[in-house]
Amino acid sequence: MDDQTSVILSRYPRGHRDCLIPILQDIQQEYGYLSESSVTEISRYLGLPSSKIFGLATFYNQFRFEPRGRFHIRICHGTSCHVSSASEIIKELGKKLRIAPGEISRDGMFSLELVACMGACHLAPLMQVNDNYHTKLDSGSINDIIDSYIEGED
Amino acid sequence: MIVQIEVNNKIIKARKGETIMSALSSAGIMIPSICSMKDFTPTGACRMCVVEVEGRQGLVPSCSQPVSEWMNIKTHSPRVVKSRKTIVELLLSNHPDDCLYCERNGNCELQILAEELNVRERRIMGKKNKYKLDHSSPSIVRDPAKCILCGRCVRVCEEKLSVFAIDFVNRGNRTLIGTAFNKDLNFSSCINCGQCIMVCPTGALFEKDSLPEIEDALNNPEKTVIVQYAPSVGVSLAEEFGIRQGKDISGLINAALRKIGFDRIFDTAFAADIAVVEMANELLSLKGNKDRRPLISGSCPAWVKFAEQWYPDLLPAMSSCKSPQQILGAILKSRYPGVSGIDAATVYSVAVAPCTAKKFEAQREEMTKKGLSDIDAVITTRELAKLIKLYGIDMNQIEPEAADEPYGIRSSAGKLFGASGGMAEGIIRSLPYAAGAKEPSRIKYQELRGGRGRKEAEIRIGKTTYRFAVINGMSDAVNLIEEIQAGKCEYDFIEIMACAGGCVNGGGQPIGTGDNAVRTRVKALYGIDEKETIRCAHKNPEIKELYDNYLGSPMSEKCKSLLHTSYSERKVLL
């Protein structure tokens, strides 16, 4: 077992299935996603079948099952962003990155996540790339923003 | 206590505490339902069974609401009927429109509901479900597009089988039934028992079709196509042809198979007799060996996979004897070509089983010798019915015929393998003989019969007592395994069958015939046993011949290489 996973699990009592959600949150915090191996570990620790854990985790939007890219993009699709045509931005991002929300690009550079609201409605529509915020977006600006990250890495 | 309730302006009696649905059904009023299942706690999820109860604002699900004194119920008021109809219309709104090509056409609960509620136009248009078909399992095909999310498969898998292979995945209108990480079924902990197929109301779950390859073999003049059918098939197939439930139609099956063009027809019960002799001797040889106690049967392929996944530490205790289907398969490709003068490579061996896990078993690597697999194709009872219909055979008009010799001869002990407890009863009958006695001490073991989860019997041979246990269904097995692991198990032999009731209730049996059908099948098997003259496996003359002239003694090296196997831990996503 991965050391970090066992450290996280050891904070919770063995076999207590009511601890499942906090454990999943901690694991995701640590690794950025829930991997097959970590779900198997949790399953063994709590005595809970992995199909049940997967079923529960997919019920919530907060859990992801693919690793994050080096640049994790969170794009807001809350009410304010939606009325400021966030859908267009999301479409544009999908076209540029060739991934759908919840996925990661093949080179592992970008991953995309839809979030409900980031609490900055006066700056809508907005997205967060790692710790940077890009606000008052329009579909024309997406290309340049993404390119700046690609160039920054080169 | 009896209470009175008013239903549709008529007063009926009901037992206090029973659900409205059960009271109504005793009064002859049918309430449609999708999610409710007998012997399961109600969930009230599908809302098909709603009724109007005076004084209650919303409609009440009758499957979960207990009756109370002077409840005033309307079961078919316009409001109720409209609500039910809307549910069906909504279920159909995203359902594929390919009824004609559907596995369950004519035997689909959704189709029947739509008909009963007179849904005759598409009022609600939805986007059609589009999912890929999961063909990965050798036994079960999943078509999520046809799933109506009733959850019955999830509950059977969880509560009856303790397998937990599938669950509800995602949320809201994106919900579907899936395995962990949405993997294909063959990566999951599915044990292929097929009980999910038995409860699926639509065509979302069905067995993998093996008929085309069998037709190819039948049409190939170079192939000698040999078929064997399992003990419980003979007492189950009648239902598919409107013949009396539970009637033993083995004779008719022989005739039909011959008309279809199978070159030889044998009875799997013959090989069950061999399995009895082998296991009885294996049991005797292990007495006193503390490490390999108890001996656990390995004839149920669903149970074998269950053990390989969760309890690999139990595998050394598993009987090495193959299942009857595989034993006969092995003999058909080793001994039979020698006596009949056909080339083993041209033999195409088909097995008819009441089970979907048998399809999985037949393609296991262990079941192949020198590049020839023991069994080439397995079809379920349902597929056999299809095959008979395909070849236009009228089961009501043909005359019964006998199976072929030599492997069509069986004792009734072999036939009992079809019911839970039958294998143990067969072994217990033959055990004294294997230990050197001439006659069995007793024939009938009533304590090993019936529907209880765990059944026990014991037999004394000389100074030693052998304790037998029969586990009837997977959920009861889990309790017993815990006892074994804690060192508290006192049994010498344990028979485990994944499906409650045994193979008569297998996942390949006719769908929708219910508990009563299963009971009549069991009754038929024991009825055959009562009338039979050869009731002990070791008295089967053809078995004697086979041991004398080919296999040698039971558990000989030849037997071990042909009829025995071993199992190892299986890594799946648990």
Side-chain angles (χ1 to χ4, degrees):
Chain A
M1 193 195 308
D2 195 305
D3 278 350
Q4 210 46 46
T5 310
S6 54
V7 170
I8 293 171
L9 288 175
S10 67
R11 293 205 289 264
Y12 297 91
R14 186 177 277 275
H16 282 237
R17 48 177 67 189
D18 46 324
C19 300
L20 177 59
I21 292 180
I23 292 178
L24 290 175
Q25 284 168 330
D26 286 2
I27 298 273
Q28 176 149 308
Q29 185 73 37
E30 177 67 29
Y31 296 100
Y33 75 113
L34 302 174
S35 71
E36 222 175 280
S37 61
S38 45
V39 168
T40 317
E41 289 306 331
I42 302 169
S43 146
R44 225 171 277 154
Y45 192 78
L46 296 182
L48 206 56
S50 50
S51 62
K52 291 269 138 196
I53 299 178
F54 184 71
L56 175 131
T58 52
F59 185 88
Y60 298 101
N61 285 337
Q62 61 170 303
F63 296 116
R64 38 184 298 126
F65 304 92
E66 284 190 65
R68 286 185 184 189
R70 292 191 292 285
F71 298 104
H72 183 61
I73 303 173
R74 303 171 79 216
I75 177 134
C76 182
H77 200 207
T79 315
S80 296
C81 287
H82 181 73
V83 296
S84 319
S85 35
S87 306
E88 282 301 306
I89 314 268
I90 294 167
K91 224 198 245 162
E92 201 59 40
L93 264 175
K95 253 199 264 170
K96 174 78 182 158
L97 302 172
R98 293 168 181 271
I99 53 173
E103 289 179 351
I104 177 168
S105 60
R106 272 203 182 172
D107 54 6
M109 192 162 181
F110 292 101
S111 53
L112 189 58
E113 180 187 356
L114 280 193
V115 293
C117 184
M118 298 211 271
C121 300
H122 60 296
L123 299 168
L126 79 158
M127 69 176 186
Q128 182 189 3
V129 182
N130 289 351
D131 290 331
N132 304 327
Y133 290 87
H134 300 269
T135 58
K136 298 202 171 169
L137 298 163
D138 61 72
S139 47
S141 59
I142 292 298
N143 219 2
D144 294 342
I145 294 173
I146 298 298
D147 282 342
S148 73
Y149 285 100
I150 296 173
E151 278 158 26
E153 215 181 43
D154 292 339
Chain B
M1 204 181 116
I2 301 292
V3 295
Q4 290 190 312
I5 55 174
E6 195 181 323
V7 181
N8 303 340
N9 304 322
K10 259 176 82 180
I11 289 167
I12 66 166
K13 290 189 166 63
R15 275 176 295 111
K16 199 177 176 187
E18 82 175 318
T19 60
I20 298 178
M21 187 187 257
S22 124
L24 293 175
S25 123
S26 324
I29 301 170
M30 300 280 283
I31 302 293
S33 150
I34 299 174
C35 69
S36 80
M37 282 152 75
K38 206 173 164 279
D39 300 331
F40 284 82
T41 46
T43 55
C46 73
R47 319 305 285 187
M48 272 308 292
C49 68
V50 287
V51 293
E52 208 170 334
V53 175
E54 200 181 82
R56 293 277 290 265
Q57 218 181 6
L59 296 174
V60 173
S62 64
C63 69
S64 52
Q65 178 71 44
V67 292
S68 53
E69 185 92 55
W70 293 116
M71 216 175 210
N72 189 348
I73 299 166
K74 297 268 183 298
T75 61
H76 287 80
S77 68
R79 185 178 166 210
V80 169
V81 172
K82 190 179 170 207
S83 156
R84 288 183 194 149
K85 194 167 173 175
T86 307
I87 292 171
V88 173
E89 285 173 324
L90 283 166
L91 286 174
L92 288 170
S93 69
N94 63 356
H95 199 83
D97 274 330
D98 61 350
C99 285
L100 266 180
Y101 306 99
C102 180
E103 185 72 24
R104 291 288 294 276
N105 187 21
N107 186 17
C108 166
E109 290 183 35
L110 188 60
Q111 219 175 36
I112 293 169
L113 279 175
E115 190 195 346
E116 283 176 357
L117 289 162
N118 203 18
V119 178
R120 282 295 169 258
E121 61 173 337
R122 183 178 290 284
R123 193 165 61 89
I124 307 166
M125 290 287 207
K127 212 167 116 192
K128 295 286 172 207
N129 286 336
K130 259 197 184 153
Y131 299 105
K132 76 175 173 54
L133 218 58
D134 181 356
H135 267 299
S136 64
S137 155
S139 305
I140 299 169
V141 182
R142 275 183 351 113
D143 185 357
K146 296 211 174 116
C147 177
I148 57 170
L149 302 171
C150 66
R152 289 195 212 163
C153 52
V154 175
R155 297 194 71 196
V156 144
C157 194
E158 181 175 329
E159 294 174 36
K160 288 262 183 220
L161 280 309
S162 308
V163 169
F164 301 92
I166 43 175
D167 197 9
F168 286 95
V169 173
N170 296 336
R171 184 179 53 185
N173 62 357
R174 290 168 51 196
T175 309
L176 54 101
I177 306 282
T179 61
F181 286 89
N182 263 333
K183 296 213 162 214
D184 286 342
L185 208 53
N186 61 338
F187 291 108
S188 76
S189 57
C190 171
I191 58 171
N192 305 307
C193 70
Q195 288 298 326
C196 52
I197 299 178
M198 302 302 285
V199 296
C200 184
T202 67
L205 288 161
F206 51 94
E207 71 268 39
K208 191 151 215 176
D209 186 10
S210 306
L211 292 183
E213 43 199 279
I214 292 173
E215 284 171 60
D216 282 349
L218 285 169
N219 295 331
N220 184 343
E222 278 156 27
K223 292 272 179 204
T224 305
V225 189
I226 305 182
V227 64
Q228 55 166 306
Y229 59 90
S232 55
V233 173
V235 295
S236 314
L237 191 73
E239 296 156 29
E240 293 271 5
F241 293 94
I243 307 172
R244 178 172 56 82
Q245 235 176 35
K247 189 171 159 58
D248 174 27
I249 56 165
S250 302
L252 295 180
I253 295 177
N254 295 334
L257 290 171
R258 208 162 273 141
K259 285 191 192 346
I260 289 169
F262 288 100
D263 297 304
R264 303 281 190 286
I265 297 141
F266 295 132
D267 194 334
T268 311
F270 164 84
D273 285 341
I274 301 180
V276 165
V277 172
E278 288 293 315
M279 279 193 272
N281 283 282
E282 191 178 10
L283 180 58
L284 285 179
S285 71
L286 291 174
K287 191 69 184 176
N289 184 346
K290 281 259 181 287
D291 298 337
R292 281 199 59 190
R293 185 167 172 271
L295 181 68
I296 308 174
S297 71
S299 286
C300 172
W303 149 245
V304 170
K305 186 164 186 267
F306 190 91
E308 286 177 321
Q309 291 169 181
W310 278 287
Y311 303 103
D313 51 322
L314 276 185
L315 293 177
M318 190 86 86
S319 164
S320 61
C321 184
K322 290 183 187 173
S323 72
Q325 168 186 301
Q326 299 303 126
I327 288 180
L328 190 51
I331 291 170
L332 289 179
K333 296 216 174 167
S334 55
R335 165 71 171 167
Y336 192 61
V339 287
S340 62
I342 42 179
D343 178 7
T346 65
V347 171
Y348 189 84
S349 182
V350 179
V352 186
C355 176
T356 46
K358 287 280 172 195
K359 288 176 186 265
F360 165 79
E361 183 184 35
Q363 53 89 60
R364 288 179 68 110
E365 262 177 46
E366 299 90 335
M367 304 298 171
T368 297
K369 205 168 166 59
K370 291 183 193 149
L372 291 180
S373 50
D374 292 349
I375 296 287
D376 296 293
V378 178
I379 55 172
T380 60
T381 313
R382 295 190 290 271
E383 287 175 283
L384 175 61
K386 275 192 222 162
L387 189 67
I388 292 174
K389 286 172 189 164
L390 183 68
Y391 278 78
I393 292 160
D394 183 352
M395 292 293 270
N396 291 298
Q397 297 296 331
I398 57 176
E399 290 299 320
E401 290 173 19
D404 286 308
E405 290 189 4
Y407 311 134
I409 313 285
R410 53 145 182 86
S411 78
S412 62
K415 197 77 183 161
L416 290 187
F417 267 55
S420 156
M423 179 202 297
E425 190 163 339
I427 295 174
I428 211 166
R429 281 179 193 176
S430 287
L431 198 63
Y433 175 79
K438 279 236 155 53
E439 285 302 317
S441 40
R442 199 171 128 201
I443 291 286
K444 200 171 163 182
Y445 283 82
Q446 194 63 44
E447 59 266 45
L448 292 175
R449 303 178 179 185
R452 281 160 291 134
R454 188 188 297 190
K455 298 173 271 188
E456 295 165 329
E458 56 179 54
I459 182 170
R460 230 179 131 71
I461 295 173
K463 282 190 180 128
T464 30
T465 305
Y466 290 86
R467 291 190 181 82
F468 280 64
V470 170
I471 296 301
N472 185 8
M474 219 64 216
S475 49
D476 288 286
V478 177
N479 299 333
L480 179 75
I481 291 165
E482 277 162 17
E483 283 174 35
I484 297 174
Q485 287 174 330
K488 284 188 204 146
C489 171
E490 291 298 318
Y491 303 120
D492 295 286
F493 179 85
I494 302 171
E495 172 200 308
I496 298 183
M497 295 288 170
C499 300
C503 307
V504 283
N505 188 28
Q509 296 281 47
I511 289 175
T513 42
D515 282 3
N516 198 34
V518 175
R519 271 193 298 274
T520 56
R521 291 173 201 158
V522 175
K523 222 174 125 194
L525 283 177
Y526 288 119
I528 294 170
D529 182 47
E530 288 295 328
K531 280 182 275 175
E532 189 72 44
T533 42
I534 310 173
R535 297 179 72 178
C536 293
H538 61 268
K539 292 194 172 169
N540 180 341
E542 286 301 333
I543 290 216
K544 273 192 201 141
E545 194 277 333
L546 191 67
Y547 273 109
D548 291 347
N549 297 327
Y550 187 65
L551 292 172
S553 59
M555 298 291 287
S556 66
E557 282 310 310
K558 185 125 203 167
C559 288
K560 280 189 180 154
S561 83
L562 267 183
L563 314 180
H564 290 253
T565 183
S566 62
Y567 306 104
S568 50
E569 183 173 0
R570 186 178 289 268
K571 296 269 186 225
V572 293
L573 203 53
L574 294 180

